[in-house]
Amino acid sequence: MSERSETMKGGSISLLDMVVVAFVIVGFVCLLNFYGYALLPYSPDEICFLQPAQNLAEGKGMGTPALDDLLPGISQRTYWQPPVYFLVLSVWGKLAGFDVMSSRLLSRVCGVGVLLLLWLLALRWGVHPQLALICAIWTALDLTFQYNSNLGRMDTMNALWLMACLLAFTENQRSGKIWQATIAGFFGALATLTHFIAIPSVLTLALFLAWRKRWRDLLWFSLPILLGWGAWLVYAAQDWQSFWSQLCYQFARKGEGGFALKLLHLLFLQALVPLFGVFAVNSPPVWLPLTLLSALAWKKRALSLREWQLVFFLAVYTSASFGGELCYIGWFTPFGYLLLSLWFHQAFKENRWRFALVGLCLLWCSYQGFRVGQALSSVQSLKAEIDRFNFELATVLPEGAQVLLHGVPDPFPTLQRLRPDLRLIQLSPTPMQQEALKRTLRQSDFFVGLTGWGQNHGVPLNEKLKEWVFHAPFGAWLVRLYTLKGGEIRE
């Protein structure tokens, strides 16, 4: 067996391995449950995903009225993200309820699925069973992955589908059965229709089949993807103008910031800057050097990777880095640790390196545990600050006011529940159509959110009425309540 084919031979699973994995998963779930709503989102957009899912479940279409047509037509139809997350969340919401915590629970379930598939995939790729366990432990302890698995967003679900696609594709490469290619294509369709970030990775697998002239496998791999995208385009055909306009606004955001910012994204260096006092990544920016070094090592036959595996890693990293969002780092994390475990496996075969590798594994796990401990230290106090903020804001706003929101924590879910008399509008994290934004600003009474964000987006902040401070291990930040056109505060 050649060195490159060794990655496809698979590894055995013992009872002890399953016990350790179960322990890791239980610990992971307990940790996220303890974080609860104190693990704050990168951007206050969870309601923008929850609302269309709820409307869909209630037979009201798939619109997002909270965005007030700040993106064209979005009050009636949501096109700025593919539909699978909304569809799954609408079914999930019927079982668990339509609130932000239920959508975060769905992400935790997906996070558990990612850990399981990652462990199985590492074994299938020939990683030593103990290193496969360490790969899952590294991922479970990583703060970026924990954040993604506790947010009401589609990133962790997308990683789950993509990991399942990769595992099924691996099995197809081992035994060449058509049904394996079909399953890989099915999960590839789910991945690309959950988030655009998966498109380059899934396309890479299809191109590999074409390059190898495996036309039958390519046909059955592509069929579910074509059917899925065809169904979405049929939905898009109901309002082509809104479809293209929403996507243009969404992708315009990716082009902001210039060359310097893109360079930071390429290195994942934007994650080293604490955001809202909590988002300081607990892994150094090693993913780009590791990915490039892997390509060089593969060329010199020093790393057990097949061509399609290497190109897949390059596609995943490129998608995450050029996407530029902080949540994309957590999306890439399981794949990064999978690649790292392959390196450790390669070195582990050399007996003289084993002691050093064990030491590095323990050292890194200890560092990850330390950073998780720092995050845990502020959970109770941050929950108390969030509760006070939501209660005071719900009390102080006058009846019938129209309120613009863009803050972390996001008060939209609480105000929607406690103050149904208010007209709440969530300002979009993407660029917004200017005429709609000007109209919304003229009609609104208050702004609740981050001062700098509001100023940068032309919100005419008037009098500061109240402010709240939030503390976390890596800093503090303020959320303020402003009048916009002479709104009066309730005594």
Side-chain angles (χ1 to χ4, degrees), residues 110-389:
C110 292
V112 169
V114 170
L115 292 177
L116 284 171
L117 291 178
L118 177 63
W119 172 55
L120 293 174
L121 189 60
L123 290 172
R124 285 291 182 268
W125 282 16
V127 175
H128 190 281
Q130 293 178 2
L131 289 175
L133 290 174
I134 291 173
C135 178
I137 293 171
W138 279 336
T139 304
L141 285 174
D142 194 279
L143 279 178
T144 56
F145 184 72
Q146 291 175 12
Y147 279 120
N148 276 23
S149 299
N150 205 46
L151 299 180
R153 288 180 50 92
M154 65 282 294
D155 307 284
T156 306
M157 180 181 290
N158 180 265
L160 175 67
W161 302 141
L162 189 56
M163 195 74 70
C165 172
L166 188 58
L167 182 59
F169 192 87
T170 298
E171 295 302 321
N172 174 257
Q173 295 303 298
R174 286 160 56 93
S175 54
K177 292 182 171 59
I178 291 178
W179 65 268
Q180 295 165 340
T182 306
I183 291 177
F186 172 75
F187 285 114
L190 291 178
T192 55
L193 287 168
T194 298
H195 200 294
F196 296 117
I197 196 173
I199 292 177
S201 307
V202 174
L203 182 60
T204 293
L205 300 180
L207 290 176
F208 173 78
L209 293 175
W211 179 56
R212 288 287 184 163
K213 297 182 179 180
R214 295 175 54 179
W215 306 119
R216 186 185 63 172
D217 287 343
L218 177 61
L219 172 64
W220 288 101
F221 178 80
S222 303
L223 185 60
I225 299 174
L226 295 175
L227 290 175
W229 276 81
W232 190 41
L233 291 177
V234 169
Y235 173 66
Q238 299 177 64
D239 189 351
W240 281 114
Q241 183 175 359
S242 295
F243 175 77
W244 290 113
S245 297
Q246 288 183 32
L247 290 182
C248 286
Y249 279 109
Q250 171 75 324
F251 285 105
R253 183 185 182 190
K254 307 303 180 184
E256 296 176 341
F259 175 77
L261 185 59
K262 289 302 177 186
L263 183 59
L264 290 178
H265 292 168
L266 182 63
L267 298 171
F268 284 171
L269 288 176
Q270 77 272 23
L272 298 179
V273 180
L275 180 62
F276 307 130
V278 289
F279 302 121
V281 176
N282 67 330
S283 55
V286 299
W287 297 129
L288 178 61
L290 180 68
T291 305
L292 296 179
L293 187 61
S294 299
L296 180 62
W298 174 85
K299 186 176 182 180
K300 294 182 177 296
R301 295 183 176 272
L303 183 63
S304 297
L305 274 178
R306 288 193 169 187
E307 297 94 334
W308 67 267
Q309 293 171 321
L310 175 64
V311 178
F312 179 87
F313 278 124
L314 292 174
V316 169
Y317 184 87
T318 302
S319 301
S321 60
F322 282 101
E325 306 288 345
L326 279 169
C327 51
Y328 297 169
I329 301 175
W331 172 82
F332 174 82
T333 293
F335 302 100
Y337 281 123
L338 176 61
L339 182 58
L340 187 61
S341 69
L342 290 170
W343 275 96
F344 270 65
H345 173 78
Q346 193 78 14
F348 199 69
K349 292 186 296 185
E350 301 290 337
N351 288 329
R352 66 177 182 272
W353 293 108
R354 291 196 175 188
F355 181 78
L357 290 175
V358 171
L360 284 174
C361 290
L362 292 176
L363 181 63
W364 185 244
C365 288
S366 298
Y367 175 70
Q368 288 183 302
F370 170 73
R371 296 305 294 271
V372 169
Q374 284 184 303
L376 289 173
S377 67
S378 65
V379 166
Q380 296 299 346
S381 59
L382 192 53
K383 284 181 178 179
E385 292 169 349
I386 294 171
D387 290 340
R388 179 173 59 86
F389 163 67

Side-chain angles (χ1 to χ4, degrees), residues 471-482:
H471 300 87
F474 310 115
W477 73 100
L478 295 172
V479 173
R480 294 187 172 105
L481 167 64
Y482 290 94

Side-chain angles (χ1 to χ4, degrees), residues 443-461:
Q443 296 173 351
S444 299
D445 304 297
F446 300 97
F447 171 77
V448 181
L450 306 168
T451 302
W453 191 94
Q455 292 172 336
N456 292 336
H457 289 77
V459 180
L461 305 178

